[in-house]
Amino acid sequence: MINKERLLRDNRLCKAIIGLSVEELKNLATEFSACYLIYRKKNRKDHERQMGAGQKGFIPTPLDKLLFILLYLKCYPTYDLQGLLFGLDRTRVCRWVKILLPVLEMTLGRECVLPARQIRSAEEFFRAFPGVKDVFIDGTERPVQKPKNLRRRK
């Protein structure tokens, strides 16, 4: 399990692990918490219990959830490793990533730090970045000769 208290005491460690300072993390955590509640209410199916009832999850606080998804995005560990770090099974890690990614996007969108649009063509790219002269695309197409008969003749 990740030692959250140590992470929140050491600004350098926090920047190295998740890419944010402790102060930035705490500021983002308040907005993330609000967005998480909105997301849960909006995507909630018909349940018999009220919000907050039932068994508590293994990632209990909104700050823990934010650490979970930021670490995942910064380091991109396998689900097995992320599960080991947070005390979860890899299937639970997959579920949490699918839940928390849209919440983080909603949070960052509200904080106005996401790009306004995606670049879809080279012309758009050059208009957005006029100082760039060359763009290199890694990929080539080459004809591949495939065998016509799969059985070998002897």
Side-chain angles (χ1 to χ4, degrees), residues 47-80:
H47 290 282
E48 293 178 14
R49 296 183 182 147
Q50 293 182 353
M51 285 284 286
Q55 184 179 7
K56 303 303 175 223
F58 286 101
I59 308 177
T61 67
L63 181 60
D64 291 330
K65 290 173 177 62
L66 182 59
L67 285 173
F68 176 88
I69 197 65
L70 288 176
L71 176 74
Y72 178 78
L73 291 174
K74 172 105 178 9
C75 301
Y76 199 61
T78 62
Y79 289 158
D80 292 311

Side-chain angles (χ1 to χ4, degrees), residues 100-149:
L100 295 178
L101 272 176
V103 175
L104 183 64
E105 287 177 0
M106 185 187 323
T107 304
L108 295 177
R110 288 180 73 173
E111 290 289 316
C112 300
V113 292
L114 284 177
R117 60 185 164 80
Q118 292 182 347
I119 297 173
R120 303 208 185 275
S121 68
E123 292 79 24
E124 279 187 54
F125 178 81
F126 286 121
R127 272 186 266 132
F129 303 100
V132 175
K133 304 240 186 298
D134 296 320
V135 176
F136 296 99
I137 299 174
D138 185 18
T140 57
E141 286 190 38
R142 295 182 184 175
V144 177
Q145 190 173 11
K146 295 182 180 179
K148 293 181 182 175
N149 190 355

